[in-house]
Amino acid sequence: MALFGDIHANLEALEAVLADSEAQGCTDYICLGDVVGYNADPVACLEQVRAMDCPVVKGNHDEDASGTHSLETMNPVAATALEWTRDQLSEEQRTWLRRLRMVRQIADFTVVHSTLDQPANWNYVTNRFDAMSNFSYQFTQVCFHGHTHVPRVYIKGEKVEEVPAESVIIEPGSKYFINCGSVGQPRDGDWRAAYAIYDLEHKLVVIRRIEYDLARTQEKIRAAGLPEMLADRLAEGR
């Protein structure tokens, strides 16, 4: 099973992730939100995810792109990209984004874009102290999320700790809050697209990093007239 999110309208990265997940034998998919925003292919990415007919949870950019509310309080670069994205989407596509649920339980695990304690507030979990609040509302052993664009694994046993976000075995008696990283705009210094594979039979989660046609994505951003820094940051993984 592949879990992917924070696509942010990066079609080349999405296609690379889906190709890799298929090569790894994945047949089931879950999207952790933020299909749109920042990059230049919101319609293509949205329609690709829709066509997969897989569970999807709503991200903050999905909410902002599907609304008509003011974006004045948002980061100016993100706001500019979202205003542009609103113009690209049809009303039917915006309705699809609006109707996405904040939290879903799939099999014996949960998925959310941000946090379980206040999913609509779009809080960020960047350390184990942030994760503590989430665990109080986590009623399944495993929860996958996104939002920070940085792969992270938090484990709650006798205490809450962060472990390297490469692979983790789901052990009895502990809870796991796992950030799958970002497909379309990683922010951990590694430009490659990130997603997770969850092997339910062997209780193993692996974070994978995949190269994609970065130059093509950057060309599209510039051609669309989006802010230059959105193209530049992709190469830096920031």
Side-chain angles (χ1 to χ4, degrees), residues 64-65 67-69 71 81-89 94:
D64 287 332
T68 58
H69 54 279
L71 303 174
L82 279 167
E83 291 283 10
W84 179 87
T85 298
R86 284 178 174 179
D87 291 338
Q88 310 308 307
L89 299 176
R94 290 193 292 271

Side-chain angles (χ1 to χ4, degrees), residues 177-189:
F177 190 50
I178 301 174
N179 191 314
C180 299
S182 172
V183 171
Q185 195 192 77
R187 296 179 185 169
D188 60 344

Side-chain angles (χ1 to χ4, degrees), residues 129-145:
F129 301 104
D130 295 335
M132 288 178 186
S133 298
N134 182 84
F135 279 121
S136 299
Y137 292 82
Q138 184 174 319
F139 302 112
T140 57
Q141 186 181 17
V142 181
C143 179
F144 294 96
H145 70 117

Side-chain angles (χ1 to χ4, degrees), residues 20-52:
D20 183 75
S21 61
E22 182 178 0
Q24 295 299 313
C26 295
T27 55
D28 296 294
Y29 296 85
I30 296 171
C31 179
L32 301 172
D34 272 1
V35 179
V36 300
Y38 292 126
N39 297 309
D41 278 308
V43 171
C45 289
L46 186 153
E47 291 302 332
Q48 174 66 68
V49 172
R50 288 180 69 179
M52 295 169 70

